[in-house]
Amino acid sequence: MLRVIGAGFGRTGTMTLRTALCALGFGPCYHFTEVFAHPEHLRHWAAAARGRPGAWRVPLTGYAATTDWPGVVFWRELAEAYPEAKVILTTRDAAEWYESMRSTVFAAINGRFPETADRFRAFEAAEELADFREAGLIGRSFGGRIDGRDHVIGCYERHNEDVRRTVPAERLLDFHVAQGWEPLCAFLGVPVPGLPFPRSNAREDFRSTVLNDPAPS
């Protein structure tokens, strides 16, 4: 059963948060990289994005937390289905976030990384991945298109405000990963570990992580 719901868009520190949550005992945590380790999940994510109620339950079975896409598309449904779960909204400066998205996720979608494009074509669930990308990531997170800086940033800012308006303050942590362990641990009610706070999935590492199995939970 989910204990933590990540409501922040990708490229806001979602891999860092995944690593931190697992270190604190809130694993396994479902991040986008999980779909490459479990390609059979993608048909369920795509079905959920196309409107099949609760189709996301199958891939999330056995997970204690979720961050990033695909789960963020369904943050509202997850928050309603798991009323005891905490919600963490990872954010960063909107202009910086857009530039990170443009040079990583959107670049991969638009085929600007030849080695990544080859991996996508060879991926056994490439059709289902494309279906989720169009219906879920682009369709539901960005209103059907990812062209236009102002449009994309507007989608990002509206999403963040929607989460803040919807989730009760006592259940929500508005979190910048640069804040480190203290606010995260206080929110989750756990002690601060004697470990450096993780830093994961920097922009320059993106190509090497796409279509690779996730780190152990």
Side-chain angles (χ1 to χ4, degrees), residues 41-76:
H41 289 178
L42 276 162
R43 64 187 179 89
H44 301 289
W45 288 119
R50 296 287 182 192
R52 185 183 300 168
W56 43 263
R57 291 182 182 274
V58 175
L60 288 180
T61 299
Y63 286 85
T66 180
T67 71
D68 202 86
W69 291 289
V72 69
V73 173
F74 311 101
W75 70 270
R76 192 185 302 273

Side-chain angles (χ1 to χ4, degrees), residues 89-104:
L89 176 65
T90 45
T91 63
R92 64 189 292 191
D93 174 80
E96 292 179 358
W97 169 82
Y98 174 77
E99 288 304 316
S100 181
M101 284 291 293
R102 185 184 63 82
S103 63
T104 56

Side-chain angles (χ1 to χ4, degrees), residues 103-127:
S103 63
T104 56
V105 177
F106 295 164
I109 289 172
N110 292 325
R112 293 207 296 270
F113 299 153
E115 72 279 20
T116 301
D118 290 342
R119 290 181 214 159
F120 274 112
R121 282 192 292 270
F123 183 48
E124 63 184 274
E127 184 176 339

Side-chain angles (χ1 to χ4, degrees), residues 187-208:
F187 177 67
L188 296 174
V190 297
V192 174
L195 302 168
F197 192 75
R199 293 286 183 266
S200 304
N201 204 10
R203 191 182 311 186
E204 57 270 20
D205 297 330
F206 177 81
R207 296 191 201 194
S208 65

Side-chain angles (χ1 to χ4, degrees), residues 1-167:
M1 179 178 292
L2 287 184
R3 301 165 63 196
V4 178
I5 297 164
F9 277 1
R11 310 311 300 171
T12 60
T14 53
M15 179 62 88
T16 292
L17 178 60
R18 175 191 184 272
T19 304
L21 289 172
C22 291
L24 295 173
F26 292 86
C29 179
Y30 205 109
H31 179 275
F32 192 71
T33 52
E34 292 288 321
V35 302
F36 303 126
H38 302 284
E40 71 278 6
H41 289 178
L42 276 162
R43 64 187 179 89
H44 301 289
W45 288 119
R50 296 287 182 192
R52 185 183 300 168
W56 43 263
R57 291 182 182 274
V58 175
L60 288 180
T61 299
Y63 286 85
T66 180
T67 71
D68 202 86
W69 291 289
V72 69
V73 173
F74 311 101
W75 70 270
R76 192 185 302 273
E77 294 98 317
L78 296 177
E80 291 175 357
Y82 302 99
E84 301 302 315
K86 302 274 192 175
V87 180
I88 300 176
L89 176 65
T90 45
T91 63
R92 64 189 292 191
D93 174 80
E96 292 179 358
W97 169 82
Y98 174 77
E99 288 304 316
S100 181
M101 284 291 293
R102 185 184 63 82
S103 63
T104 56
V105 177
F106 295 164
I109 289 172
N110 292 325
R112 293 207 296 270
F113 299 153
E115 72 279 20
T116 301
D118 290 342
R119 290 181 214 159
F120 274 112
R121 282 192 292 270
F123 183 48
E124 63 184 274
E127 184 176 339
E128 292 86 354
L129 178 61
D131 193 13
F132 173 77
R133 180 190 67 206
E134 296 303 316
L137 194 155
I138 297 175
R140 293 185 57 165
S141 293
F142 296 107
R145 63 186 181 91
I146 55 174
D147 60 309
R149 180 180 186 276
D150 290 347
H151 166 75
V152 170
I153 287 179
C155 291
Y156 169 72
E157 292 180 332
R158 284 190 295 273
H159 168 83
N160 292 341
E161 288 306 312
D162 195 19
V163 174
R164 292 175 181 128
R165 282 194 306 267
T166 303
V167 180

